[in-house]
Amino acid sequence: AIERTLSIIKPDATRRNLTGKINAKFEEAGLRIVAQKRIKLSPEQAGKFYEVHKERPFYGELVEFMASEPVVVQVLEGENAIAKNREVMGATNPAQADEGTIRKEFALSVGENSVHGSDAPETAKEEIAFFFSGLELVG
Ligand code: CMP
């Protein structure tokens, strides 16, 4: 089925001018960028977005990192977009990511891992609504 997923290009990647190279990976995989904006998250916004990880030991570090510099938030659309995006990103830890994936090529560490992608249809819906209004989504 045609799905939509929320993607974030993280501060380690925007800082190194990798937005275009990462977007090329998505487009080459058949994912269409149907909405996109570059924003700087406040620590409060980053904390709210990652609320599910609140009890994890890395939560503070994660929130600080995500609010440190601009991010690019985007909606990717395509056949099985959620799973396909996760394939293109590669494993969370770049040391375990397959060749050719975004995290293998660009990520610096498990924390500074260049991209985020929704993990399931429910979370995709919530995460898209967190950043975009219906008017901003142009299929
Ligand atoms: P992401 O897909 O954005 O979802 C949660 C993030 O937490 C994850 O990618 C990682 O960047 C980060 N994360 C997961 N495990 C660790 C860890 N052990 N140390 C620091 N950050 C982590």
Side-chain angles (χ1 to χ4, degrees):
I2 300 285
E3 293 175 338
R4 284 176 173 176
T5 192
L6 190 278
S7 166
I8 305 178
I9 302 179
K10 297 188 180 186
D12 67 282
T14 60
R15 181 184 0 115
R16 289 176 290 150
N17 251 358
L18 293 171
T19 298
K21 283 187 174 153
I22 289 173
N23 279 348
K25 294 270 197 197
F26 294 142
E27 293 185 338
E28 282 159 16
L31 292 164
R32 182 179 299 275
I33 302 162
V34 297
Q36 170 168 262
K37 55 191 172 188
R38 191 171 193 267
I39 56 176
K40 180 132 189 304
L41 294 173
S42 68
E44 291 71 27
Q45 290 166 329
K48 187 153 186 259
F49 181 79
Y50 278 118
E51 211 157 32
V52 292
H53 295 303
K54 212 175 191 158
E55 306 306 325
R56 306 280 195 97
F58 56 80
Y59 179 70
E61 190 187 317
L62 173 63
V63 169
E64 190 187 344
F65 167 60
M66 291 301 288
S68 66
E69 284 179 88
V71 296
V72 174
V73 294
Q74 45 192 194
V75 178
L76 307 180
E77 183 181 272
E79 189 66 30
N80 293 320
I82 297 166
K84 187 173 280 177
N85 180 38
R86 294 180 74 75
E87 236 177 79
V88 176
M89 289 193 296
T92 303
N93 185 343
Q96 280 146 26
D98 288 338
E99 285 302 326
T101 62
I102 291 169
R103 284 164 172 162
K104 176 72 179 187
E105 282 188 30
F106 304 122
L108 302 175
S109 66
V110 68
E112 297 197 318
N113 64 353
S114 303
V115 280
H116 164 83
S118 308
D119 62 5
E122 305 308 290
T123 42
K125 211 174 166 202
E126 285 172 22
E127 291 182 358
I128 289 169
F130 186 92
F131 288 111
F132 294 96
S133 78
L135 286 175
E136 292 176 296
L137 296 167
V138 183

Coordinates of all heavy atoms in Angstrom, one line a residue, residues 1 16 30-32 42 44 56 83 88 99 101 106 111 118 120 125 128:
A1 N 0.8 -1.2 0.0 CA 0.0 0.0 0.0 C 0.9 1.3 0.0 O 2.0 1.2 0.5 CB -0.9 0.0 1.2
R16 N 26.9 19.0 8.2 CA 27.9 18.6 7.2 C 27.4 18.8 5.8 O 28.0 18.2 4.8 CB 28.4 17.2 7.5 CG 29.2 17.0 8.8 CD 29.6 15.6 9.1 NE 28.4 14.8 9.5 CZ 28.2 13.5 9.3 NH1 29.1 12.8 8.6 NH2 27.1 13.0 9.7
G30 N 12.8 5.3 -4.6 CA 11.4 5.4 -5.0 C 10.5 6.1 -3.9 O 9.3 6.1 -4.1
L31 N 11.1 6.8 -3.0 CA 10.3 7.5 -2.0 C 10.2 9.0 -2.5 O 11.2 9.6 -3.0 CB 11.0 7.5 -0.6 CG 11.0 6.1 0.1 CD1 12.0 6.1 1.2 CD2 9.6 5.8 0.6
R32 N 9.0 9.5 -2.4 CA 8.8 10.9 -2.8 C 8.7 11.8 -1.6 O 8.0 11.5 -0.7 CB 7.4 11.0 -3.6 CG 7.1 12.3 -4.2 CD 5.8 12.3 -5.0 NE 5.8 11.3 -6.1 CZ 6.3 11.7 -7.3 NH1 6.7 12.9 -7.5 NH2 6.4 10.8 -8.2
S42 N 13.3 23.5 19.7 CA 13.7 23.9 21.0 C 13.9 22.6 21.8 O 13.4 21.5 21.4 CB 12.5 24.7 21.7 OG 11.4 23.8 21.9
E44 N 12.4 21.8 24.4 CA 11.0 21.3 24.8 C 10.4 20.5 23.7 O 9.8 19.5 23.9 CB 10.2 22.5 25.2 CG 10.5 23.2 26.4 CD 11.8 24.0 26.3 OE1 12.2 24.5 25.2 OE2 12.5 24.2 27.4
R56 N 14.8 6.3 29.0 CA 16.1 5.7 28.6 C 17.3 6.5 29.1 O 17.2 7.8 29.2 CB 16.2 5.6 27.0 CG 15.0 5.0 26.4 CD 15.2 3.4 26.4 NE 14.2 2.8 25.5 CZ 14.6 2.5 24.2 NH1 15.8 2.6 23.8 NH2 13.7 2.0 23.4
A83 N 8.6 0.9 5.9 CA 9.6 -0.2 5.9 C 10.7 0.2 4.9 O 11.9 0.0 5.2 CB 9.0 -1.5 5.5
V88 N 16.4 1.9 3.8 CA 17.4 2.9 3.2 C 18.2 3.6 4.3 O 19.4 3.8 4.1 CB 16.6 4.0 2.4 CG1 17.5 5.1 1.9 CG2 15.8 3.4 1.3
E99 N 25.9 -2.0 3.9 CA 26.5 -1.2 2.9 C 25.5 -0.5 2.1 O 24.4 -1.1 1.8 CB 27.3 -2.1 1.9 CG 28.6 -2.7 2.4 CD 29.6 -1.6 2.9 OE1 29.6 -0.5 2.2 OE2 30.4 -1.9 3.8
T101 N 23.6 1.9 2.9 CA 22.5 2.6 3.6 C 23.0 4.0 4.1 O 24.3 4.3 4.1 CB 22.1 1.8 4.9 OG1 23.2 1.7 5.8 CG2 21.6 0.4 4.5
F106 N 27.0 7.7 6.2 CA 27.1 9.1 6.8 C 27.1 9.2 8.3 O 27.5 10.2 8.9 CB 25.9 10.0 6.3 CG 25.9 10.1 4.8 CD1 24.7 9.7 4.1 CD2 27.0 10.5 4.0 CE1 24.7 9.7 2.7 CE2 26.9 10.6 2.6 CZ 25.8 10.2 2.0
G111 N 24.2 7.8 18.4 CA 23.4 9.0 18.8 C 23.4 9.9 17.6 O 22.3 10.4 17.2
S118 N 10.0 7.0 11.1 CA 8.9 6.4 11.9 C 9.0 4.9 11.8 O 9.4 4.3 10.8 CB 7.5 6.8 11.4 OG 7.4 8.2 11.3
A120 N 6.4 2.6 12.6 CA 5.1 1.9 12.4 C 4.0 2.8 11.9 O 4.2 4.0 12.1 CB 4.7 1.2 13.7
K125 N 1.8 8.4 11.6 CA 0.6 9.3 11.7 C 0.8 10.4 12.7 O 0.7 11.6 12.5 CB -0.6 8.5 12.0 CG -1.9 9.1 11.3 CD -3.1 8.2 11.5 CE -4.3 9.1 11.2 NZ -5.5 8.6 11.7
I128 N 3.9 12.7 11.8 CA 3.6 13.6 10.7 C 2.8 14.8 11.3 O 3.1 15.9 11.0 CB 2.9 12.9 9.6 CG1 3.9 12.0 8.8 CG2 2.3 13.9 8.6 CD1 3.2 11.0 7.8

